[in-house]
Amino acid sequence: MPTLTFIEHNGTEHKVKGDVGQSVMQAATFASLPGITADCGGACSCATCHTYIDDAWVSKLQAAEGMENDMLEYAFERRDNSRLSCQLIISEEMDGMVLHLPSSQF
Amino acid sequence: MTLASVVIVGAGQAGFQVAASLRQEGFEGSISLIGDEPGLPYQRPPLSKAYLLGKIQETNLLFRPSDFFTANRIDLQHDQVTAIDRQNHRVVLASGAALKYDHLVLATGAHNRPLPVPGADLPQVFGIKTKADADALAPLVRSARNVVVVGAGFIGLEFAAVAAALGAKVHVLELGERPMARAVSREMSELFRQAHENWGVRFDFRQGLSSIDSDNGKVVAVQTNDGRSLPADLVVFGIGVIPNAQLATEAGLEIENGIKVDANLLTSDPKISALGDVASFPCLHNGEQHTRLESVQNAVDQARAVAARLMCKSAPYSALPWFWTDQGDLKLQIAGLSSGYDSTVILGDAAEQKMSVLCFRNDRLVAVESCNRMGDHMAARKILTRAPKLTAAEAAAVGFDLKAWEAENRD
Ligand SMILES: Cc1cc2nc3c(=O)[nH]c(=O)nc-3n(C[C@H](O)[C@H](O)[C@H](O)COP(=O)(O)OP(=O)(O)OC[C@H]3O[C@@H](n4cnc5c(N)ncnc54)[C@H](O)[C@@H]3O)c2cc1C
Ligand code: FES
């Protein structure tokens, strides 16, 4: 079970265990993480599961592409390391990954 | 006014969200969430798409794991509410028990309109509403060779795309003259008709069925209204839904195409709220006409509004309706409600399957339908919640870009 660390905008850290094959969004909502509303349930249709991948991890993931990239254009305060967490599927290699949360999803 | 107990009937998208939002807002009373489906509350959209295709598993449908309900003191009961006793503020359950409420929330959803033809009760004839439906359907769609889909609405077409992708010959019968006719513009219907035809789906418009034939208890053919026999080993229908308003009707609550609620989502009894697929509410984005919407957005936003009101943070419900459907590699997103639109402006290119249709009523933008143009959809959601400014003439100008216009016209 890979463990992910989410850091809220105010600096609060949350360690969340996820299952391989589950989306990062679902791991976060299953842990009732504040700040990920995920209104569409992972259909890449709402952009309320926005996260920033920590600098140390950015190079290990692909950048957002296609539909995700288009949706992100309208996420609140998009940055180069923005990803929609419903489109990130947890793998063993993600153990220890750090993600930051935006100040708002809207 | 602090409430001691909230009872929620229906543990679907809306009922679950009311319970979760109440706790998030700091509600400390008791919450009973009563659902008549087995298992933990789950989301329905993947049932006719990713889940049916086997792309996601059962646990990926769940909103929360079981320990969430314990930790948040949400008493999830697998039971059916059979009556509302308004005088004594309690509901009666099929198990015989009764539950007192300070406030009652009706989130009972809707059921599929049944197919009114002989043969509709055969085991290879399906509507898709529940996980149980999808689980029973999944192996059949993999072995089916000839599939007949009745109704070219969202769910029928999502299923048609899945069945075609899994290798079946798919024939869609639709009484109307184009796909998704009640929900989208002619231009968008046409894009989807062509896409489905490219995937091998055949359409028969202005066509219904008179019966489903079987041999040894198995579906073998569908008889069309004009007397043709279509080979079929599987029939899936999506011809609309009927709100689950019976409890409310029997309890004497006001009904009008579902349970009628006011701008605060309260029924004609101030101790009872209703929301989601079952509720007809005065919709700000539809000229305040009573409107019943079947969408995740509607269930979730109304649930948040009900929870906020129960925590005395009341504000009339005003969220912008939005919706999506995934068919094959096409994502259709709709922002706003296009009912009664009188002109359109097209952005993008139907041939490339990237197109947005801007729908105007009296030169006022009321809805934007986008196929594989997420940026337009998200821009539209912002534009439609502000004071109206964009005119059809402006949008029709050569080189008009909705996203750029949105960025230039922020408050
Ligand atoms: C196959 C499918 C695909 C969909 N795809 C999309 C999509 O892509 N995008 C989108 O926006 N929307 C989609 N929707 C619509 C969306 O899922 C619904 O609008 C949403 O689930 C409505 O939530 P609800 O809580 O009002 O009703 P439901 O989620 O239907 O929940 C109602 C629950 O109440 C239970 N119930 C009813 N009566 C009682 C009783 N007396 N006692 C106890 N329990 C009771 C029902 O069994 C049910 O479990 C789809 C729906 C389906 C069926
Ligand atoms: S959950 Fe909606 S886009 Fe990720």
Side-chain angles (χ1 to χ4, degrees):
Chain A
M1 256 198 168
T3 301
L4 309 173
T5 300
F6 291 87
I7 303 177
E8 283 187 69
H9 194 68
N10 65 14
T12 313
E13 265 190 46
H14 303 266
K15 290 223 187 297
V16 168
K17 282 195 189 306
D19 287 322
V20 171
Q22 187 181 37
S23 73
V24 169
M25 176 281 285
Q26 203 191 22
T29 51
F30 267 33
S32 299
L33 193 79
I36 290 201
T37 43
D39 284 357
C40 77
C44 198
S45 292
C46 71
T48 63
C49 62
H50 180 200
T51 54
Y52 304 118
I53 309 298
D54 189 78
D55 290 344
W57 285 84
V58 163
S59 60
K60 298 185 180 133
L61 301 179
Q62 289 190 330
E65 303 175 337
M67 293 194 184
E68 181 190 345
N69 192 34
D70 292 342
M71 287 299 290
L72 272 169
E73 269 187 67
Y74 272 83
F76 185 75
E77 295 188 339
R78 186 209 180 138
R79 298 184 198 145
D80 288 345
N81 57 345
S82 286
R83 291 292 309 260
L84 291 180
S85 56
C86 69
Q87 303 302 305
L88 289 171
I89 302 303
I90 298 176
S91 61
E92 289 294 356
E93 294 74 48
M94 286 184 189
D95 190 32
M97 185 161 82
V98 178
L99 302 99
H100 301 264
L101 297 178
S103 60
S104 165
Q105 290 288 355
F106 305 99
Chain B
M1 172 199 71
T2 45
L3 301 169
S5 61
V6 173
V7 172
I8 304 165
V9 189
Q13 183 95 45
F16 161 76
Q17 188 65 51
V18 171
S21 292
L22 272 174
R23 284 293 181 240
Q24 215 171 356
E25 297 269 354
F27 179 68
E28 298 199 333
S30 72
I31 301 177
S32 305
L33 179 59
I34 305 164
D36 60 3
E37 287 188 67
L40 295 169
Y42 64 92
Q43 50 165 330
R44 302 188 192 281
L47 297 179
S48 48
K49 325 178 178 67
Y51 184 67
L52 203 54
L53 270 171
K55 282 192 184 168
I56 65 167
Q57 309 309 312
E58 196 174 334
T59 54
N60 305 124
L61 295 176
L62 301 180
F63 295 120
R64 295 289 186 278
S66 62
D67 54 11
F68 169 85
F69 295 88
T70 339
N72 285 279
R73 293 181 297 116
I74 296 168
D75 182 17
L76 176 64
Q77 301 190 23
H78 294 107
D79 208 329
Q80 190 176 37
V81 174
T82 53
I84 305 169
D85 174 358
R86 284 168 57 192
Q87 251 170 0
N88 298 306
H89 305 137
R90 40 174 230 153
V91 293
V92 180
L93 307 179
S95 61
L99 267 180
K100 290 279 272 179
Y101 62 79
D102 283 340
H103 196 85
L104 180 65
V105 177
L106 300 176
T108 46
H111 61 276
N112 287 327
R113 184 180 294 282
L115 200 54
V117 299
D121 51 353
L122 287 160
Q124 299 84 26
V125 181
F126 285 86
I128 314 176
K129 189 72 185 177
T130 63
K131 189 177 137 319
D133 292 334
D135 287 337
L137 180 57
L140 296 186
V141 62
R142 281 175 174 71
S143 60
R145 278 193 287 174
N146 294 295
V147 174
V148 171
V149 175
V150 185
F154 296 122
I155 295 179
L157 291 185
E158 288 171 358
F159 173 76
V162 167
L166 291 172
K169 274 195 186 151
V170 183
H171 202 123
V172 180
L173 300 178
E174 163 60 49
L175 282 177
E177 56 178 26
R178 56 188 177 91
M180 306 179 283
R182 271 171 310 169
V184 304
S185 63
R186 191 165 287 283
E187 295 88 340
M188 194 55 85
S189 286
E190 182 55 21
L191 188 161
F192 276 81
R193 183 186 64 78
Q194 286 189 3
H196 277 271
E197 287 180 351
N198 290 341
W199 299 325
V201 175
R202 275 201 55 186
F203 285 103
D204 250 315
F205 294 109
R206 297 181 207 85
Q207 192 61 252
L209 71 171
S210 55
S211 68
I212 302 170
D213 297 345
S214 61
D215 185 19
N216 269 327
K218 282 197 163 168
V219 168
V220 290
V222 165
Q223 301 297 329
T224 63
N225 276 342
D226 63 351
R228 284 171 296 144
S229 177
L230 306 175
D233 34 33
L234 178 63
V235 177
V236 169
F237 62 95
I239 53 172
V241 300
I242 300 170
N244 294 327
Q246 200 189 335
L247 275 178
T249 309
E250 287 168 4
L253 296 176
E254 224 177 307
I255 304 292
E256 182 188 299
N257 176 30
I259 305 174
K260 190 174 180 185
V261 295
D262 65 13
N264 291 308
L265 308 173
L266 277 172
T267 67
S268 50
D269 179 336
K271 278 191 178 295
I272 307 180
S273 304
L275 76 165
D277 281 14
V278 77
S280 138
F281 68 101
C283 181
L284 261 186
H285 300 274
N286 193 19
E288 296 188 45
Q289 288 180 60
H290 269 78
T291 307
R292 202 175 56 74
L293 298 175
E294 295 149 22
S295 73
V296 166
Q297 171 281 323
N298 185 66
V300 170
D301 284 339
Q302 292 194 338
R304 290 181 183 140
V306 166
R309 169 167 47 72
L310 294 176
M311 295 303 287
C312 303
K313 295 179 205 160
S314 186
Y317 178 73
S318 63
L320 178 78
W322 57 267
F323 178 81
W324 82 93
T325 166
D326 294 320
Q327 298 170 29
D329 53 1
L330 301 184
K331 180 183 286 297
L332 169 62
Q333 294 169 295
I334 306 174
L337 295 176
S338 64
S339 47
Y341 73 94
D342 50 31
S343 69
T344 58
V345 172
I346 310 290
L347 305 179
D349 188 351
E352 285 176 25
Q353 299 186 322
K354 287 189 178 192
M355 178 176 85
S356 288
V357 181
L358 279 52
C359 301
F360 293 86
R361 185 169 57 224
N362 300 329
D363 205 27
R364 180 183 160 166
L365 185 70
V366 289
V368 176
E369 304 162 351
S370 307
C371 175
N372 286 6
R373 289 190 42 127
M374 289 74 187
D376 283 355
H377 172 71
M378 295 302 277
R381 277 167 54 180
K382 303 214 161 170
I383 294 169
L384 286 165
T385 43
R386 297 182 198 143
K389 271 185 284 190
L390 177 65
T391 62
E394 239 180 311
V398 177
F400 175 78
D401 182 314
L402 195 63
K403 294 185 285 178
W405 191 90
E406 191 280 324
E408 283 161 18
N409 287 277
R410 290 198 184 145
D411 309 323

